[in-house]
Amino acid sequence: MNVITPEFRVSYPVLFEPKKNDLNGKMEYGVVAVFKPGTDLSPLNKAITELLTEKFGTDKAKWPKPMRNPIRKCEEKEKDGKLPDGYEAGGHFITLKATQRPGLVDENVQAIIDQTQFYAGCWARAQVNPYFYDQKGNKGVSFGLNNVQKLRDDKALGNRMRAEDAFQPVAGAAGGDNGDVFD
């Protein structure tokens, strides 16, 4: 069952080249979807409930315990009393992964091929599907990543300043005395 997520802030995008997952050894694509406080996550919760009901029946007492929930609170990322850039108290995040490269389009449903156009900090939504896992003693639900649609730009997340903002144009930069003391 496929579900379209609400709008989210993109964090840790890995959509162009897969990266090795140290936990399972697989090469994976992925993105962390960071939802603002108050975002309606009921379609995702409904998909989780439907999956677990289909797999284990309607009696929740028969569902595996403990079981990990893919929808996590942003506060779990807090370090030294501070949340990472883009995460807000009261918000939630979900790690979305795929072993096959997900489709990636812009707001006009045109393929995004330039890696600089999709970055940590832009806004997107995703087509996902819930699945149950039972690996190495961990049980829970996760969301597979099928497709991503970039919705709009925003300030890039992280501490690195854009090169365009770090420098001023240089007058007469071509040729001339470069000030090298070792000439």
Side-chain angles (χ1 to χ4, degrees):
M1 115 191 45
N2 288 316
V3 181
I4 303 294
T5 68
E7 178 182 79
F8 60 83
R9 191 94 186 259
V10 171
S11 185
Y12 302 106
V14 180
L15 296 180
F16 292 93
E17 294 291 329
K19 193 174 183 181
K20 185 176 181 179
N21 180 326
D22 292 333
L23 296 175
N24 63 21
K26 293 179 183 177
M27 296 299 286
E28 294 179 336
Y29 298 90
V31 65
V32 177
V34 183
F35 301 97
K36 291 179 82 59
T39 300
D40 179 12
L41 300 176
S42 59
L44 298 171
N45 282 312
K46 180 181 177 196
I48 292 168
T49 301
E50 287 177 8
L51 171 76
L52 293 173
T53 299
E54 184 179 303
K55 187 158 183 71
F56 300 107
T58 56
D59 183 358
K60 290 183 179 183
K62 294 182 181 176
W63 292 5
K65 303 229 181 345
M67 186 167 43
R68 294 183 180 194
N69 185 341
I71 302 172
R72 299 169 53 196
K73 294 180 179 184
C74 285
E75 288 84 352
E76 290 181 39
K77 291 281 191 180
E78 191 174 306
K79 288 185 182 165
D80 299 324
K82 191 173 181 183
L83 288 170
D85 200 11
Y87 291 70
E88 296 180 52
H92 293 85
F93 71 95
I94 302 174
T95 301
L96 308 170
K97 294 183 181 178
T99 54
Q100 293 183 344
R101 185 175 179 199
L104 177 60
V105 296
D106 64 16
E107 65 276 10
N108 296 313
V109 196
Q110 299 299 306
I112 296 176
I113 54 175
D114 180 352
Q115 294 183 31
T116 65
Q117 297 303 305
F118 194 83
Y119 54 91
C122 71
W123 292 86
R125 63 183 178 163
Q127 179 193 43
V128 299
N129 62 291
Y131 64 90
F132 180 78
Y133 64 88
D134 184 353
Q135 295 179 355
K136 300 179 183 176
N138 295 315
K139 296 177 183 174
V141 175
S142 194
F143 282 98
L145 179 61
N146 298 322
N147 295 296
V148 180
Q149 181 180 31
K150 178 181 174 183
L151 300 175
R152 61 190 164 93
D153 289 304
D154 203 338
K155 177 183 174 279
L157 299 180
N159 298 327
R160 190 161 152 185
M161 182 183 283
R162 294 179 344 133
E164 295 88 342
D165 297 332
F167 301 104
Q168 297 295 321
V170 178
D177 182 12
N178 65 6
D180 189 346
V181 296
F182 297 104
D183 280 343

